[in-house]
Structures are given as C-alpha cells and as structure tokens.
Amino acid sequence: MEPEGTDTNEMYLNGFSSSMPWEIQLEAIHKISALRDAKIYRPGYAIEYDYFDPTQLKHSLESKIIEGLFFAGQVNGTTGYEEAGGQGTVAGINAALLCSGNEPFIMNRDESYIGVLIDDLTTKGVDEPYRMFTSRAEYRILLRQDDADARLTERAYNIGIAKRDRYDWWIQKEKNINRILNFCDNTVVKPNIVNSFLDRIGSAPIKGSMKITDLVARPQVNFKNLSEVIPSLKEAIEASPNRIEEISEAAEIKMKYKGYIDRERVFAEKMHRLEDIKIKGHFNYSELHDLSTECRQKLEHVQPETLAQASRIPGVSPSDINVLLVLMGR
Ligand SMILES: Cc1cc2nc3c(=O)[nH]c(=O)nc-3n(C[C@H](O)[C@H](O)[C@H](O)COP(=O)(O)OP(=O)(O)OC[C@H]3O[C@@H](n4cnc5c(N)ncnc54)[C@H](O)[C@@H]3O)c2cc1C
C-alpha cells in the first residue's frame, strides 16, 4: 500500500487476508480507520487448487475405491513441501509393497509425524489446506529429533529402504545407550563426592547415597557437569566407540524425561489396544440410536477401520466410543 502523494510510506500487508479480488481487498482495508485512504499498488493473491477427499484413502494412501491407485501431496488437500514429500514417500513405498505382494507400511501416530499427518487426512478429512503443525501430534514427547532412529530405522530396514550398515549403526547405538543407562541406574554416589558440586550449581545437597540416574533428573545437573566430579561416569560415556555426543545426548534425554516419556508411552499403548479392535463392516451406524446424530453421520461417512480411528474423528465423543465398545462385547 502506498498513501497518496508519497512513496516513502510504503507498507507491506501482513496478517490480513489477501485472497479476495483486489477491489474487495481495498474495500476491506479502507474499513480500518488508520488505512481509510490507503492505496494498493500490488494486491495479494491466493493459489486455488482442487483436491480429492482424503477420507477416500486407506492409511497406505491407496484409494479405497480403485485398487492400486495411490494419492499423495496437494491433491489430498495438504499444502507444503514436507507434507507432499512425506506422503509421496509413503505412497511410493506402499505401491512397491503392493506390487511385490507385501503388507502395507503404515506408521502410527506415536511413531512419526508422517503417521499423524496421514491418519489426520484419512480419518478426519480436510476443510482447509492442511499443514503439519507439531501441535497436531498428541505424542510429541515420543516424536523427538533424537530418537527418529529408535522409532524407524528397524522398520525401514525390514522393508528394504534402510541399508544394513545404517541398521547396524542403530543397533550399536542402542546398545551403548542402554549400557550408559544401566551404569547410571546401578551406580550410587555418596554425599561427600557430590555435595560441594551440587552447592556450586545451586542444587540441594544429598543426605544419603543416591543413584546417578536420580541426580541427572535434577534440572541443574547434566552429564557434562556431573562427569567432572564422577570420573567413572565420564569413562562410561566415553566408552562408546563412536558418535559419543549423540549417544550420551540420547541417554541423558531418556533419563531426564523418563517420567514424561513413560506416561505418554502408557497412553499410546492404551490407544494401540483400541487400534486392535476392528470395527469396519461390523455396524450399520444409522441404526445405532445410542450414538449422537453427529457421530452416526461421521462414522457413516468415514467408515473407520478401527475403534482408535473412530475415536479421533471430530464429533465422535468418548461416550460414543464406550457405546461401540459395549456393542463389540468389550
Ligand atoms: C507460490 C507458491 C509458494 C509456495 N511456497 C511454499 C513454501 O514456502 N513452503 C512450502 O512448504 N510450500 C510452499 N508452497 C506449496 C508447495 O509448493 C506445494 O504444496 C507442493 O509443491 C505440492 O507438491 P505436490 O507434489 O503435491 O504437487 P505439485 O508440486 O503441484 O506437483 C504436481 C505435478 O503433477 C503434474 N501434473 C498435473 N496434472 C498432470 C497430468 N494430468 N499428467 C501428468 N502430470 C500432471 C504437474 O505438472 C506437477 O508437476 C507454495 C506454493 C505456491 C504456489
């Protein structure tokens, strides 16, 4: 926008919808009193595109209607390079698996952000261009940067998209992470060894012997500063043959956030149990009058495969899930 008679007060417009025809953009801007005389010299624009309803897809991204046809990317109602790339990878893998007569490769919501993305698309559908925000994932503590290999390397190796050396790297890393965790869990330190260090870093002194694991859980304590006063911890960390920093970071995170990680894992396992309860084809939803009308319509439309999928459909409440559980005899 450029106010009349000057070219020095040029402004870029942010946080204001610029997808309407430019006459409408101008009219809307003039409704803001400070901008009532503003002129536009270059209007904003929006990209329009069509998409197919992604609830018509299986989690493998294969069409439920046409066997062997896979969809990925913007055509599924997403926007963004990463969303398109992630889906393209999964659709490609599954097309290859289908051709070779293998089971589909599906990532769960607690295994990867791609798993969350595809589950959202195929069970909830989209009513506006979909972007993958971290806030869409309920298991963010399990989907960390430091543990992508723990979640996926073995699965990738099993379907032939990770080579043997990468798998071996991971196995070796896991062994060393566990070795450090065991060391910390089985080694106790006495007050006279650590109390002056704890005092220096502003952490409460210990009264009796304490496991290294419990000390590391304290916010001020980390492997680096603690290993300065406990040489055997330093030795345990440095005993990893390679990738020492990466391995010690992974072990430290597991120790520090154990409570949170365990709690989320329990919740994820509970959802997995619902995942095992297949409901597709079991019900004629329109006849289930114990369900809310909205729930009936949504289930009718989406036809979820499992009870867990049904629970994630907006409009399906926990009490609806209980009704279905009872009807399934559980
Ligand atoms: C101006 C602009 C800026 C953007 N900026 C960003 C950004 O900063 N960050 C970001 O993450 N995303 C951005 N996006 C979005 C991102 O580019 C798209 O979401 C992404 O590229 C979609 O990838 P896709 O593979 O699904 O589709 P496309 O990249 O559109 O690929 C589809 C391909 O199919 C081909 N095709 C179509 N019909 C046929 C046919 N009948 N036969 C054969 N081939 C066909 C097309 O030619 C095209 O090559 C931007 C998009 C635009 C338009």
Side-chain angles (χ1 to χ4, degrees), residues 236-248:
I237 293 169
E238 291 180 356
S240 301
N242 45 45
R243 305 202 295 179
I244 290 173
E245 276 193 15
E246 191 183 315
I247 289 167
S248 75

Side-chain angles (χ1 to χ4, degrees), residues 45-49 72-76 78-85 87-88 130-131:
Y45 63 94
I47 305 289
E48 284 184 27
Y49 57 90
Q74 197 160 279
V75 78
N76 287 342
T78 61
T79 187
Y81 307 145
E82 299 84 357
E83 289 80 357
Q87 290 172 69
Y130 182 102
R131 285 234 75 164

Side-chain angles (χ1 to χ4, degrees), residues 133-148:
F133 306 123
T134 46
S135 59
R136 296 196 192 267
E138 63 277 47
Y139 306 120
R140 286 191 289 283
I141 297 171
L142 304 180
L143 302 180
R144 308 186 308 274
Q145 286 176 31
D146 68 282
D147 74 345

Side-chain angles (χ1 to χ4, degrees), residues 4-237:
E4 207 169 4
T6 166
D7 56 5
T8 53
N9 288 331
E10 183 179 299
M11 282 167 58
Y12 291 97
L13 193 59
N14 246 331
F16 193 91
S17 174
S18 56
S19 60
M20 297 287 169
W22 78 267
E23 301 88 355
I24 295 175
Q25 289 185 45
L26 189 60
E27 206 181 316
I29 285 164
H30 284 169
K31 293 210 184 300
I32 301 171
S33 39
L35 301 177
R36 62 187 171 275
D37 298 322
K39 291 191 171 184
I40 292 181
Y41 75 89
R42 191 178 300 156
Y45 63 94
I47 305 289
E48 284 184 27
Y49 57 90
D50 289 329
Y51 73 101
F52 296 107
D53 180 352
T55 61
Q56 297 177 95
L57 301 174
K58 301 177 190 168
H59 277 69
S60 60
L61 296 181
E62 185 187 12
S63 162
K64 288 176 185 167
I65 301 157
I66 303 171
E67 196 187 333
L69 178 64
F70 290 79
F71 284 75
Q74 197 160 279
V75 78
N76 287 342
T78 61
T79 187
Y81 307 145
E82 299 84 357
E83 289 80 357
Q87 290 172 69
T89 305
V90 171
I93 289 171
N94 280 314
L97 289 172
L98 181 75
C99 290
S100 50
N102 287 302
E103 287 294 303
F105 174 73
I106 290 160
M107 287 179 274
N108 291 318
R109 294 180 74 90
D110 60 345
E111 271 182 315
S112 73
Y113 278 97
I114 297 180
V116 176
L117 163 80
I118 293 177
D119 186 61
D120 279 352
L121 292 176
T122 54
T123 55
K124 298 180 186 168
V126 289
D127 50 17
E128 58 176 76
Y130 182 102
R131 285 234 75 164
M132 186 63 240
F133 306 123
T134 46
S135 59
R136 296 196 192 267
E138 63 277 47
Y139 306 120
R140 286 191 289 283
I141 297 171
L142 304 180
L143 302 180
R144 308 186 308 274
Q145 286 176 31
D146 68 282
D147 74 345
D149 45 11
R151 288 181 274 119
L152 295 172
T153 300
E154 186 168 354
R155 294 208 62 197
Y157 176 68
N158 288 341
I159 56 167
I161 57 169
K163 290 199 181 135
R164 179 81 213 191
D165 60 340
R166 229 174 88 203
Y167 179 61
D168 288 343
W169 272 114
W170 159 241
I171 295 295
Q172 197 185 65
K173 180 176 166 183
E174 187 183 32
K175 224 166 70 190
N176 280 288
I177 293 170
N178 288 335
R179 181 182 51 73
I180 295 173
L181 292 176
N182 283 335
F183 171 82
C184 294
D185 215 33
N186 293 318
T187 310
V188 288
V189 277
K190 294 202 166 105
N192 65 327
I193 305 287
V194 284
N195 272 352
S196 61
F197 156 74
L198 291 174
D199 184 47
R200 208 166 357 108
I201 61 166
S203 188
I206 57 173
K207 295 197 173 70
S209 297
M210 191 181 257
K211 282 183 186 178
I212 291 183
T213 302
D214 296 328
L215 278 171
V216 173
R218 294 183 171 199
Q220 303 90 341
V221 180
N222 54 47
F223 272 179
K224 193 167 186 301
N225 59 18
L226 192 60
S227 58
E228 281 165 23
V229 284
I230 308 177
S232 59
L233 173 62
K234 194 172 166 62
E235 276 167 32
I237 293 169

